[in-house]
Structures are given as C-alpha cells and as structure tokens.
Amino acid sequence: MISSDKLPSNIVGSWPNTYTFTKSIVENSIATNYGHLPISIFRPSIIGCSASEPEPGWTDNKNGATGMLTSLITGILRILKIDTSKITDIIPVDYTANALISVMWDTVKRYQDPNAFNQEPKIYNYVSSPDSSLTCNMLLNGFAEAYERHPPLISMWYNMCIYSNNFWMNMILRFLLHRIPAALIDIYLMICGKKPRWLSFYKKLEYLVDILNVFLTREWKFDNSNTRKLWSSLSTDDRKTFYFSFEGFNWNSYITSYFYGIRKHILKEDLNNNKMALARNRRLFWFHHLTIVLIICFVFQICRILMKL
C-alpha cells in the first residue's frame, strides 16, 4: 500500500508521469498473474483522430495531442517545449480499434492450446514510426498550412506559437506570453464584476502540456514485430474490415483531416464559415502585429528612462 501523504512525484520515482507509471503497474500485475489468464498486452502510442471511420478526422475528446493542437490553432497556446526534429508516433483511433480487435482474435486463437498458459503474454506494440514515420515538424507545418487556408472562427488570438526545447526560455516566454496576458484579462473581468478564470486556465493548460513534454522532446525505437505478424496472419477480407497497417500511409491527408476534425468535432464549427473566419483572422493578424509594435515601443521607452537615471 502507498501512504496517502505521499505526493505523486514521490510515488512515480524515475517515471516521467503518472500515465506511464500506472501503465507499468498494470503490466507488472499481468506479468505476475499471466499463468492464470488468456491475455495479451496491447501498447498503442499517441492516439489521434480517425483516418476513415466513422469519417476522416473524427474525434470526441481534448486529451493528449488533440487538446494541444486545439489550443495551438485557436491562439491560446503561444509557447511549446518541443524538439521539432523528433518523430512523433501518432496512430488513428479507428486503426487502433481495428488492431485491438485483431489482437483479441489472435489471443483467443493462441490460447486454444493449453500450453500457451505457460508462456509469457505476447506484447503488441501498435505504433506508426517503423512503417511510416511522422516528425513533429511535419505535423506542425501541416496544421499551419491548413490554418492559413481555413482558420477557426472562434480563435482567441492569431496563431503564433514559439517552439523551444530550452527550459529557461520556455519558462520566461510562458510568463510573458501566457501569465501576463491572462492576468490582464482577469483584472478586466474583475473590474466588470465577473469571475477571473484565465490564470487558472493557463495553469491547467501548462500542466497538461508538461505531461506531454517527454513525448515531444524525445523519440524511441519500437519493436512491432508481433503486430506485423498479426497483420500478415489476417485474411484478405479481414484486412479490409479491420485495416490497421501503416504501409504507404498518407500523413498529409491525415493531418488535414485532423485539422478539420478538430474544427468540426471539438470547436463545433460550421466548416462553411470560411469567409467570416478569414476576415476575422486578418483582423487578428493586424492586431497581433500592432501589439508587438506597441510592446517594442514600451520597452524602448523604459530603456531610455533607465539610461537617463
């Protein structure tokens, strides 16, 4: 038992976050009791929107990569700790479901042999990078291109995000680009008699982004040999019904679908509002650059005053 007075940072030890830590606990439990159960271990990587079913771009939650990308295209996220050269291992949710169903079929078939209970459970790493790799730079550039053509109507600010892998640069820019604007908006809300919420919002957002840091600044080599063997064992009809292979996967098309899927299913936007969205985005563009000019002038005046002292 873990005492209730221990903080998560004390409990997880060398694990980067509680997400990976709890996965390890489950797998350790399975390794201890596998002799009694017909089981397999299925390890999906970062799950994104659907590739084709029920439609391209379908998604229904703001967790993980989807939440980060939503904050990015709406102008809320302005500084992100990331190494854009690293491979990001995203997999479509519908492909993941098909792969999991196939793993269950293979598990049932394998455990029809009583001797299988004496063997260690099979591990199926379901990942995209060994067959079709996607870098963070490709993902972000794809979203930026889609944004220029069809920006969201409900953007809070013009899409401007600085990517840095430096810890101190990240902390300084968070203060300047997140905390100060949030504090100013909260002051305005309090003057209007409304409840301040943006400082607490950015605190939560930065916490969620920090959880993803380990996946945005590193990359891994995965062994997906069991998943490949599973794909090879499926019949032609089963491959059509439960498709999950990444051979020849079109990432450009997927990224575009991901962008529109976020607009449609997360932001609840009408995709035919492009004329209004482009007009609003142009206003945000000029307001963004006007703000930069005003900040530069303000800093220049402060420096002049300090130099006269």
Side-chain angles (χ1 to χ4, degrees):
M1 292 291 289
I2 299 173
S3 61
S4 59
D5 61 337
K6 282 194 173 183
L7 297 172
S9 58
N10 303 127
I11 297 170
V12 300
S14 60
W15 291 96
N17 49 51
T18 52
Y19 174 77
T20 54
F21 175 63
T22 52
K23 278 181 174 287
S24 176
I25 290 175
V26 173
E27 289 197 13
N28 183 65
S29 178
I30 290 172
T32 305
N33 300 286
Y34 71 83
H36 310 289
L37 301 168
I39 54 177
S40 295
I41 296 175
F42 182 69
R43 293 176 178 167
S45 55
I46 303 170
I47 300 177
C49 72
S50 64
S52 56
E53 296 179 287
E55 63 179 39
W58 179 86
T59 181
D60 69 344
N61 69 77
K62 299 177 184 177
N63 297 328
T66 301
M68 182 195 74
L69 292 168
T70 302
S71 300
L72 188 68
I73 66 173
T74 53
I76 295 173
L77 186 63
R78 303 187 191 105
I79 172 65
L80 181 63
K81 190 172 187 290
I82 187 172
D83 185 340
T84 56
S85 66
K86 299 297 185 184
I87 292 173
T88 178
D89 208 292
I90 292 179
I91 52 177
V93 63
D94 52 334
Y95 277 36
T96 306
N98 289 340
L100 180 57
I101 292 170
S102 301
V103 166
M104 290 189 288
W105 166 79
D106 190 52
T107 303
V108 170
K109 186 178 70 170
R110 190 171 72 253
Y111 278 93
Q112 289 176 352
D113 180 3
N115 293 325
F117 287 90
N118 299 320
Q119 301 173 5
E120 290 188 5
K122 260 191 178 182
I123 297 174
Y124 299 84
N125 290 322
Y126 186 55
V127 291
S128 60
S129 54
D131 301 313
S132 181
S133 60
L134 171 71
T135 64
C136 294
N137 193 52
M138 290 168 59
L139 176 65
L140 296 172
N141 283 344
F143 262 73
E145 290 172 7
Y147 175 90
E148 291 300 322
R149 295 192 301 269
H150 304 284
L153 180 62
I154 63 171
S155 295
M156 177 184 174
W157 195 263
Y158 183 73
N159 180 22
M160 186 284 301
C161 187
I162 299 173
Y163 307 124
S164 172
N165 198 23
N166 182 280
F167 174 80
W168 290 110
M169 179 67 72
N170 189 65
M171 296 302 294
I172 293 170
L173 290 176
R174 274 187 176 184
F175 178 75
L176 295 175
L177 300 177
H178 286 175
R179 299 303 177 93
I180 291 179
L184 293 174
I185 296 174
D186 277 351
I187 291 171
Y188 173 77
L189 289 174
M190 287 189 290
I191 293 173
C192 295
K194 297 180 181 179
K195 184 179 179 180
R197 59 191 179 92
W198 281 101
L199 273 173
S200 60
F201 171 82
Y202 269 107
K203 185 177 180 181
K204 292 176 182 177
L205 175 64
E206 290 169 357
Y207 172 76
L208 294 174
V209 170
D210 286 342
I211 292 176
L212 294 173
N213 275 349
V214 66
F215 307 111
L216 297 174
T217 56
R218 303 179 190 178
E219 65 181 34
W220 292 266
K221 301 291 184 181
F222 296 103
D223 177 10
N224 68 337
S225 55
N226 285 335
T227 307
R228 286 182 174 181
K229 290 175 184 176
L230 171 61
W231 174 251
S232 300
S233 70
L234 298 180
S235 66
T236 302
D237 288 340
D238 284 342
R239 288 187 186 185
K240 291 179 181 178
T241 305
F242 303 104
Y243 194 89
F244 63 83
S245 174
F246 283 98
E247 293 180 6
F249 191 79
N250 189 333
W251 283 113
N252 290 329
S253 176
Y254 179 77
I255 292 169
T256 302
S257 297
Y258 206 163
F259 177 86
Y260 290 122
I262 289 175
R263 284 192 59 197
K264 180 179 179 181
H265 300 290
I266 302 300
L267 301 178
K268 308 298 181 184
E269 288 197 355
D270 180 0
L271 298 184
N272 295 318
N273 65 7
N274 198 48
K275 187 176 180 180
M276 289 188 296
L278 284 171
R280 175 177 168 77
N281 193 56
R282 279 194 294 271
R283 291 194 297 270
L284 290 174
F285 171 83
W286 290 114
F287 188 65
H288 166 70
H289 284 83
L290 176 61
T291 303
I292 292 175
V293 171
L294 292 175
I295 291 173
I296 292 173
C297 291
F298 176 76
V299 172
F300 179 73
Q301 290 297 326
I302 294 295
C303 291
R304 285 186 62 186
I305 293 171
L306 292 174
M307 288 176 66
K308 292 179 180 179
L309 295 178

